[in-house]
Every structure is written in C-alpha cells, then in structure tokens.
Amino acid sequence: MSAAATPSPPAEAPIPWLGLLAVLLGTFISTLTGRLSSFGLADVRGGIHAGFDEGAWITTAFTVAQMLVTPVAVWVGSIYGPRRILILAALLFTAASAVIPYSQNLPTMLVLMFLAGLGSGCFIPLTLGYVLRSMPPRLWAYGVALYALNLELSLNISASVEGWYVDHLTWHWIFWQNVPLGLGMAICLHFGVRQQPPPALRLNKDIYGLATCGLGLALLYAALDQGNRLDWLNSGLIWGLLIAGVFLLVCFVLHERTAEKPWLDFQVLLRHPMPFLLLMIALLRLTILSTSFLIPYFLGGVRGFRALQVGDTLIWIAMPQLLICWLAAVFLRRTDPRFVACFGLCLIGIACMTVAYTLTPNWGSDQFLISQLLQAVGQSCALSGIVFNAVLRLRPQDALSFGALLQISRLFGGETGQAFISTLARVREQRSSNLIGLHVKAGDPAVLHRLQAYGQVIARHDQPAKAAPLILGEDLRAMATTLSTIDCFVAVSAFAVVALFVMIVVMRAPPRGPASHRPLFARRSA
C-alpha cells in the first residue's frame, strides 16, 4: 500500500482492549473453521450425500475465497478503517455459518462455504495492523505473541472439538459454533473500535490490480489444494489452474510496475530482508501444518484412532501455548527476536527427528507427548520471533501491506506444506508397501508360519480362517504407513533446518526503535 493512501491512525477507542479482543477472536475463528471443516469433511460429505471427489471441493471453496478477498480486504480497510469492514465481514461469516448446515445439495454448500470464506478472509489481513496501531510499541511483543497464540491454538484444538461435536452432537455444530463467536466479534468491534471517518478523496482505485492479484492467487491455491487428489500434472484441470494463475500474477506485476497509483507498494515487498522473512513464515507454516497432518495420518491409518482420540495428542501442542505465549513475549522484550526464532526452529527440528528415530507401529497418543511438548514451545517461539522481526522493520504506513503479505505467505505456506507432505506420504507409502511386498511370497516358510499363528488366534475367537491373510495385509499396510511417516518427519526437520540457516546467515539485527528489546540486565530507567 502506498504511503499516500494510508489514513491517519484512528482516535482512541472507547474500550481499546475490547477491540483488541475482537480482532484476535477473528484470527482464531478463521483458522479454527478451516481446520474443523477439514477434520470433519467426511461427516459433512455424508450429511449432504456427496462423494469423495466432489466433496473435496468443500474446504477448497472456503480457503480459495479467503485468498481471493485478501487484497480487497486490505485496500478497503485502508480507506474505511478496520472497524466497518470487520463488522460487515463478521456478520457475513455468521450468517453463512448459520445457514450452511441446512444445505440440501453440494452446489448450495459450495456457495455458502465461499461466502463464509469471503467473510473470514478479511479477519487476518486486518488483525496485525490493528494490533500495532492500538497498542503502545513497548507492548507490541505481547500483541505479536497473542497473534501467534491464536493461530497455534486454533490449529491444534480442532481435532478435539470436531471429534466431540460428532460424538456428542452432530456435524452441524462445526458451523453453528461460529454464530455466537461471530456475533461476539461484531459486538466487541462495535463497542471497542471507534469509527474512522472516510477520507474526502478515494485514492488508489486499482481495480485491475486487485482483480488480477486476487484471482491469480486463488487459482494457484486451488491447484495446490486439489493437486494430490488429481495426481498433479497428470490432470488437465491442474494444468489449467496453474497456467491461468501464473498468467494473472504476471499481468498483475507488470501492471503494478507501470501504474501511476499502484495498489501494492513493491518497496515493502522487496525491501531487504522482507522476502526472506515471508519465506520463513511460509516454511514455518509448512512445518506446522505438516506435523498436524502427519500425526492424524499415522494414528488414523495404523492405530485406527478417531478424531477425538487424535485430538488427545494434538491438544498437547495447543494447551501449553497459553503459558508459552507469555514466555515468548518476555523473551522478545529481553532478547534479539532472531535468537527466539532460532531457538524455536531448533526445537521443531529436534522434535521431528525424535519421532523419526523412535516411531514404531505400536505408538499411541502417549508416545507423542514429549515430541509434541517440544513442538509446542518451538512453534510459539519461532512464529513470534519471525513475525516480530518483521514488525520491527516496518514503517507505520506499511502495516496493512504487511498484513496482506503475511496472510498470503501463511495460506500458501500451509497449503504447500499440506500438498507436499500428503503427496510425499502417499508416494513413500506406496514405495514401502512395494518393497515389503517383495519379501512376502506365497509358500515362503516365514509367511506360512505367520499365517498359522494368525489362524490359531482367530480360531480361539471363532472367526473364519480366511481372515488370516487379511490380518497379514493390514500389518503390512501399517508398516508401510509407519515408514512413510518416518520419511515425512525427516523432511519436515530438513525444512526447519533450512529456515534456521536463512535466519542465521541472512538476517541482520533489526533497527532500534521504541518496540525493540531491552537487554536482559539493563536498568529499568534505561
């Protein structure tokens, strides 16, 4: 966003902490809904009688709408202020969430999910800018830590929440829970944020730039989201989405470089080290969503755990965040944010390698406890440190532009990680299954001995003898899934190492300012 289009900061709100609560609640709602609809997708498909392939577009419709609306949300927020836009977005999201469970067919469900995505897509891009404007600089570290807490908490409690809804209520509550949350957010915004008077002159009406940027990003995101299911470049639809998305983004860049009043200030995007910080946010998001995919993948595929049982493991990432959030903020105020980020990335790498070197098919929720506690500390410190490092380099007029770039990096990093890890897990499981199967041959003495042992156990339970080969096949599949999970955790650890390398080699100390850290042993008066 160019400096000329940035409005002056709004006057102090009647209840400032209520406005802060509102925007942080929006961050929480947006991420939680995306994760809940992913975990409960099978129940949602069954509720509207949709098949696997067509039902896969339900979550895509929601997240693609979030990506599409991001540029528009930042542009409109810079003109009318965050209050009016966030209230309208919260009401749209609430209304769509209330009606979604009544969908009778897939097209209706897709339209309503798209509308809900348009509403929730406005939350995160406008959150960080409001946090920085409403809090004094000495408290920015705590605001950034709360921002990271919302993202982490909503990601990792979703399995437990979805499992509880399905077991005790119905899948409809995956969406109905957003009604009181969305209304509460709108009420907090109404009383906590003062209305900003609209400017006399509307600037930067770059409709072409907004359209090409939003559509290009949305098409690329749809290709990533559906790529693993459609076998990537073997699908004509994926080719079409990728070509159209890249073409629109090239048109956007060329237009913005030549426009008299461009929507996006490329100086914000290209100023060192902003590209590396956005890359690190994408890499970190990749590692976070990858591990939150791998644990349900293993526990569901090998142990047959349901969502509520998987949530017992992921909750150990979520709950410690309440304490770690405060500690991360203290560290950001007392040390260089680069050290906090490096510490977190090291813990993420150690946690992934711990699982990779010790995982067996007998693992359950309890065996993941130590690694997930390390993961919880690492994710909070790494995300808070990286975002705060970027915040310290921002000019006040760049806050909204950074909010849009952060949202794009967050969504693309997470979706790239999900697509990469799910594809890697599928390919490695197929390879491991093939290699293991080469040693399982009909008539082999070891195979016959194993089948006889299964037969004796089955006979005690009055089961048919033909079930023995099926049990052997399940054991082989479980072993292949375990090996593919190990390979994926090694890959995630490698991504954490790459991010750590970039932080150590590329990042310089941020400039000193009112939000900079105070040395650990400095006197308070200093």
Side-chain angles (χ1 to χ4, degrees):
M1 196 72 59
S2 61
T6 303
S8 58
E12 184 181 359
I15 312 177
W17 64 267
L18 205 57
L20 183 62
L21 173 64
V23 294
L24 293 176
L25 183 61
T27 306
F28 178 83
I29 297 172
S30 177
T31 309
L32 179 64
T33 304
R35 288 287 287 169
L36 276 178
S37 56
S38 297
F39 271 109
L41 184 58
D43 299 292
V44 175
R45 289 200 312 261
I48 61 172
H49 310 290
F52 178 82
D53 288 328
E54 58 268 26
W57 289 95
I58 294 175
T59 54
T60 303
F62 181 79
T63 49
V64 163
Q66 287 185 320
M67 183 65 77
L68 177 66
V69 80
T70 294
V72 179
V74 174
W75 174 67
V76 176
S78 68
I79 295 178
Y80 296 101
R83 180 180 183 267
R84 182 181 303 175
I85 304 307
L86 287 174
I87 289 177
L88 293 176
L91 294 177
L92 173 62
F93 177 70
T94 301
S97 298
V99 180
I100 284 174
Y102 296 105
S103 302
Q104 299 297 316
N105 50 58
L106 181 63
T108 304
M109 169 74 77
L110 293 178
V111 171
L112 293 174
M113 288 293 291
F114 186 82
L115 293 176
L118 291 179
S120 65
C122 298
F123 295 162
I124 293 180
L126 299 177
T127 296
L128 191 60
Y130 180 80
V131 169
L132 300 182
R133 291 184 176 198
S134 62
M135 300 181 71
R138 61 185 177 83
L139 297 180
W140 281 0
Y142 297 92
V144 170
L146 286 172
Y147 178 80
L149 167 68
N150 274 272
L151 295 178
E152 296 297 305
L153 193 64
S154 53
L155 273 175
N156 294 294
I157 68 170
S158 50
S160 297
V161 174
E162 190 273 338
W164 192 88
Y165 285 155
V166 173
D167 285 353
H168 297 87
L169 299 171
T170 64
W171 65 268
H172 305 81
W173 286 93
I174 294 175
F175 304 103
W176 282 342
Q177 67 155 13
N178 296 322
V179 175
L181 293 177
L183 290 177
M185 176 183 174
I187 293 172
C188 290
L189 287 166
H190 179 76
F191 291 103
V193 181
R194 189 179 299 278
Q195 176 61 46
Q196 179 181 2
L201 180 64
R202 302 288 191 265
L203 300 177
N204 289 5
K205 288 187 177 180
D206 189 5
I207 305 300
Y208 181 84
L210 293 170
T212 52
C213 179
L215 287 173
L217 292 173
L219 292 174
L220 290 180
Y221 190 91
L224 289 174
D225 199 43
Q226 296 292 323
N228 183 54
R229 183 180 66 85
L230 298 175
D231 199 17
W232 294 105
L233 298 183
N234 292 321
S235 167
L237 176 61
I238 299 300
W239 271 107
L241 292 173
L242 290 175
I243 293 174
V246 172
F247 175 76
L248 287 174
L249 288 181
V250 170
C251 293
F252 165 71
V253 173
L254 294 177
H255 170 76
E256 295 298 290
R257 298 295 292 179
T258 57
E260 181 180 356
K261 295 180 179 180
W263 164 73
L264 180 66
D265 186 357
F266 278 94
Q267 293 182 357
V268 179
L269 175 62
L270 301 177
R271 186 186 305 122
H272 181 82
M274 191 59 67
F276 295 102
L277 287 170
L278 296 174
L279 173 63
M280 291 185 63
I281 291 172
L283 286 174
L284 182 60
R285 184 72 174 181
L286 184 152
T287 62
I288 292 172
L289 274 184
S290 298
T291 51
S292 63
F293 165 81
L294 287 174
I295 294 176
Y297 166 76
F298 172 81
L299 292 177
V302 176
R303 300 301 303 276
F305 282 14
R306 302 175 63 199
L308 189 59
Q309 295 168 307
V310 173
D312 293 339
T313 301
L314 296 180
I315 203 72
W316 285 105
I317 304 180
M319 299 315 295
Q321 305 288 346
L322 301 174
L323 175 62
I324 299 168
C325 162
W326 180 79
L327 293 177
V330 173
F331 291 152
L332 290 176
R333 285 294 297 154
R334 291 293 188 171
T335 61
D336 193 314
R338 295 176 300 168
F339 298 154
V340 180
C342 288
F343 174 71
L345 291 170
C346 288
L347 290 184
I348 293 174
I350 293 172
C352 292
M353 293 306 295
T354 299
V355 175
Y357 275 95
T358 56
L359 183 65
T360 69
N362 297 323
W363 270 39
S365 298
D366 295 340
Q367 284 70 34
F368 282 101
L369 176 59
I370 295 177
S371 65
Q372 295 317 297
L373 288 174
L374 290 176
Q375 189 92 350
V377 179
Q379 289 178 4
S380 283
C381 292
L383 185 58
S384 300
I386 293 173
V387 174
F388 193 61
N389 200 341
V391 166
L392 293 177
R393 304 171 188 275
L394 289 178
R395 300 173 299 176
Q397 61 267 31
D398 296 336
L400 286 174
S401 293
F402 178 70
L405 297 174
L406 180 63
Q407 169 78 330
I408 293 171
S409 298
R410 186 188 73 88
L411 288 177
F412 261 112
E415 188 56 43
T416 303
Q418 185 97 356
F420 172 78
I421 291 298
S422 59
T423 303
L424 179 63
R426 173 174 57 84
V427 172
R428 297 300 292 180
E429 181 177 357
Q430 293 170 348
R431 180 179 182 275
S432 299
S433 180
N434 179 61
L435 293 177
I436 296 173
L438 294 177
H439 300 280
V440 181
K441 300 178 180 179
D444 187 275
V447 176
L448 294 176
H449 176 73
R450 179 60 65 91
L451 290 175
Q452 290 173 358
Y454 287 151
Q456 293 174 0
V457 175
I458 290 172
R460 298 193 194 106
H461 296 83
D462 297 327
Q463 297 292 327
K466 64 180 181 181
L470 298 178
I471 296 177
L472 179 60
E474 287 296 318
D475 283 349
L476 296 179
R477 186 182 62 81
M479 183 57 68
T481 302
T482 302
L483 293 175
S484 68
T485 304
I486 291 173
D487 294 339
C488 291
F489 269 106
V490 173
V492 174
S493 179
F495 282 117
V497 171
V498 171
L500 179 64
F501 176 81
V502 173
M503 178 62 73
I504 294 175
V505 174
V506 177
M507 295 298 144
R508 297 190 295 268
R512 299 292 300 176
S516 299
H517 70 279
R518 189 172 69 241
L520 185 60
F521 299 104
R523 292 180 301 175
R524 182 171 297 274
S525 59

